[in-house]
Amino acid sequence: DTEVTQTPKHLVMGMTNKKSLKCEQHMGHRAMYWYKQKAKKPPELMFVYSYEKLSINESVPSRFSPECPNSSLLNLHLHALQPEDSALYLCASSRQGGLGTRTDTQYFGPGTRLTVL
Amino acid sequence: GENVEQHPSTLSVQEGDSAVIKCTYSDSASNYFPWYKQELGKGPQLIIDIRSNVGEKKDQRIAVTLNKTAKHFSLHITETQPEDSAVYFCATLQAAGNKLTFGGGTRVLVKP
């Protein structure tokens, strides 16, 4: 089973709202990722958690706040977003997250379609 | 940093014909090359991947070839079917890394 689940599927929020996106995997993977994808573009990496610790932050604005409560869960807290933040937010996971010399396959969830009004 | 270029950006083929998508990369440290298929409204799904110690890999109608010397790799889809219509992304990953670098994507349309 290579399933990554994400909730909600769709989210509409105002610029003053606070909301959270959730991601879950039960494959025993120890690396989890957040990507942002705009229409007709490839996914762009935002954050990487490896063994529940933030290992990469791709200079993402502080209005996006990631959290990894345990090895199976990944959250993305949203606050004071702008309309240009509207996009498909994808979660992914991989077995080890690049430790040692191994390169691991990343499996993506279905995404959350976010609209900021 | 790594740069991945993908061509063509759109590809229209007749059902039953073959489709070929090509990617070139810049970082010789890249050693893992996945291909993802993304259907409308869905997340990218891994369809095939290849590691740098292999030159070719095949899975039913899909094959990937890798030329490490020339730094390019290609996706081949034979006997295309309407359900192959989607956006395809190539990507690269460096040894001991976890940051995928994606190509720009190819929109494939298979006409019945």
Side-chain angles (χ1 to χ4, degrees), chain B residues 15-67:
Chain B
E15 182 178 358
D17 287 350
S18 295
V20 180
I21 304 169
K22 298 182 180 179
C23 288
T24 59
Y25 62 98
S26 60
D27 191 340
S28 56
S30 293
N31 71 345
Y32 175 64
F33 307 90
W35 285 90
Y36 289 90
K37 174 185 180 182
Q38 188 171 25
E39 296 176 279
L40 200 60
K42 297 185 178 180
Q45 295 297 305
L46 180 76
I47 55 170
I48 196 166
D49 57 11
I50 193 167
R51 296 184 187 270
S52 60
N53 57 347
V54 177
E56 184 174 358
K57 184 176 177 181
K58 190 173 181 181
D59 182 4
Q60 299 182 351
R61 297 185 297 108
I62 294 173
V64 57
T65 58
L66 171 65
N67 183 329

Side-chain angles (χ1 to χ4, degrees), chain A residues 23-83:
Chain A
C23 173
E24 191 166 3
Q25 57 85 16
H26 294 288
M27 297 178 277
H29 289 176
R30 301 310 301 271
M32 296 185 77
Y33 310 75
W34 281 115
Y35 287 84
K36 173 182 177 180
Q37 187 178 26
K38 300 285 269 185
K40 299 185 179 181
K41 296 289 186 184
E44 296 176 26
L45 183 66
M46 299 174 72
F47 302 104
V48 181
Y49 273 84
S50 184
Y51 291 83
E52 293 113 73
K53 288 184 167 48
L54 184 65
S55 62
I56 294 179
N57 176 342
E58 290 286 292
S59 302
V60 179
S62 60
R63 57 185 184 268
F64 295 91
S65 176
E67 178 196 19
C68 189
N70 60 58
S71 60
S72 300
L73 293 173
L74 186 66
N75 298 321
L76 187 61
H77 303 297
L78 314 172
H79 174 54
L81 294 194
Q82 304 297 309

